[in-house]
Amino acid sequence: MTPDRLRAALRGVPDPQWLDAALRRVATEPKAIARLFATAARRCGRGPLPDPPGWTVDEAARALLLTALPADHAAAADSLYRHGDAAEKRAVLRALPLLPIGAACVPLLHDAIRTNDTRLIAAALGPYSRHLEQPAWRQAVLKCVFTGVPLAAVDDLHGRADGELAAMLAAFAAERHAAGRTMPADATDLLDRLGAGSHPTTAREA
Amino acid sequence: MRIFDPHIHMTSRTTDDYERMAAAGVRAVVEPAFWLGQPRTSAASFVDYFDSLIGWEPFRAGQFGVRHHATVALNPKEANDPRCHPVLDLLPRYLDKDGVVAIGEIGYDSMTRAEDAAFAGQLALAVAHDLPALVHTPHRDKARGVERTLAVVAESGIEPGRVLVDHLNEVTVKLVRDTGCWLGFSIYPETKMSPPRMVELLKTYGTERMLVNSAADWGRSDPLLTRATGEAMLLAGFTEDDVDRVLWRNPVEFYGQSGKLDLTDVDAPAPTFAGNSILRGGE
Ligand SMILES: [Zn+2]
């Protein structure tokens, strides 16, 4: 994802002048981003963008505002996340991979993954999650399965999934099985792919 | 019957309540910020509370197909506690949020000087942020409290049509009816107002600018009393359209003045996961 692609996607918003002016203002007056970020959804809309798929108008507009800052992107992302409502937090998480911040905003991922808001958990597992350490990443993937977040939300799932994750998923599958409950299909597929898909036999099946 | 409960403290309620409310026709709620039942000790406690009113609680409501908006304020009771006053400086940040459709609950509890200052100051904030105001009226010394409330509202310069004066009854309704303010009635299992009494008030004063809420919280209260009031209205000869006006269109019109009320797809299937299912559509 690039700012240019988001910019192009937002050409059709109802009030493009507002967004243009907001982006120019943020570039010269960084403090203005706090209020512009909060009002962006009301001014630009909240619907899904046809392209890039999986992005909404408000997420894209807010991500662009962050990229338009001249400096101190990590501090701004942190502040907007901490002071944001759920939609603003989601937009910050989605913007992180577009910002020149290295791993500075990993604490925001930890915060989002700690919540039970599935929209935040999913947004935390985008491309920026490459900065998560492997144990935290595995726990987050397991939490997706647990809370019903589709694994398609997890960036680089197949590249990163390892034997330890397979063991955790298999143990979870066994618990579900014992309780007479099913695993989500995408989790079963992942287990199969990791070569740990042989389902435990239980008395119920015998 | 579609129901908009314009005053309910869902943070204090269980998921069983959300299920029963949704089944009864409640599709939208406004949750005003209020007292926790015991004193807060700092402004930071309000921050966590307000954050949950614009974060976790709307998510929780959404899982049951209920659209959740909020109002934020320093409540009248805690306006008397200096430890809480710094929250007034934090309010502007929250008044900008999409989910915040009014300032409230503001008003009087014991009618002290500190309450005067917080009430007037927050009415000015409502004007500055172009938001309506939800005004609580005191449970004790109510008639005098309502009179003083209306005087402060008039003095503030806020347009009366952007003010909802809440927790009214047979005595205080008369004071508010001709001011141009909206009139709120909290239907409680025992105290305040009951469905049959509410129906009598609607017969006497009509349905214009009249709002009915459950004000359900952590005390003995019932989030389905909005529905019970609608049914009592029908039994008393009111039309479906009258009920829809009181239980849906009136609260939509009042909070709609914020320009932020978002009822897109409010009766669509419950969103359980993000990106594509929590979408609220365009403006
Ligand atoms: Zn209340």
Side-chain angles (χ1 to χ4, degrees), chain A residues 35 38-39 41-43 45-48 56 62 82-88 90 116-119 122 148-150, chain B residues 51 54-56 58-59 63 93-99 129 259-260 262 272-275 278-283:
Chain A
R35 291 198 74 174
T39 49
R42 305 200 281 284
R43 303 307 297 256
R46 305 181 176 99
T56 60
R62 286 172 168 151
R82 305 276 172 208
H83 295 157
D85 62 20
E88 291 173 86
R90 195 167 72 242
N116 271 8
D117 187 330
T118 47
R119 301 165 304 178
V149 174
Chain B
D51 283 350
I54 59 169
W56 177 238
F59 177 73
Q63 291 179 307
R93 185 170 102 204
Y94 289 97
L95 297 177
D96 271 347
K97 300 300 183 192
D98 284 337
H129 285 258
K260 296 198 280 187
D262 179 7
T272 50
F273 164 73
I278 198 77
L279 294 177
R280 296 183 291 183
E283 285 299 273

Side-chain angles (χ1 to χ4, degrees), chain A residues 103-192:
Chain A
C105 284
V106 167
L108 302 186
L109 300 189
H110 290 299
D111 184 276
I113 292 164
R114 256 196 311 273
T115 71
N116 271 8
D117 187 330
T118 47
R119 301 165 304 178
L120 295 179
I121 297 168
L125 288 169
Y128 195 73
S129 66
R130 68 177 176 272
H131 296 292
L132 276 179
E133 296 203 352
Q134 193 69 3
W137 182 84
R138 286 191 208 104
Q139 286 287 342
V141 174
L142 196 62
K143 188 160 179 177
C144 286
V145 178
F146 198 77
T147 56
V149 174
L151 290 178
V154 182
D155 186 68
D156 194 26
L157 177 68
H158 296 298
R160 271 187 97 166
D162 56 11
E164 179 63 22
L165 179 63
M168 290 161 76
L169 282 171
F172 182 57
E175 271 188 63
R176 280 268 165 114
H177 209 77
R181 299 177 62 200
T182 56
M183 285 280 274
D186 55 3
T188 308
D189 289 349
L190 178 62
L191 260 177
D192 285 342

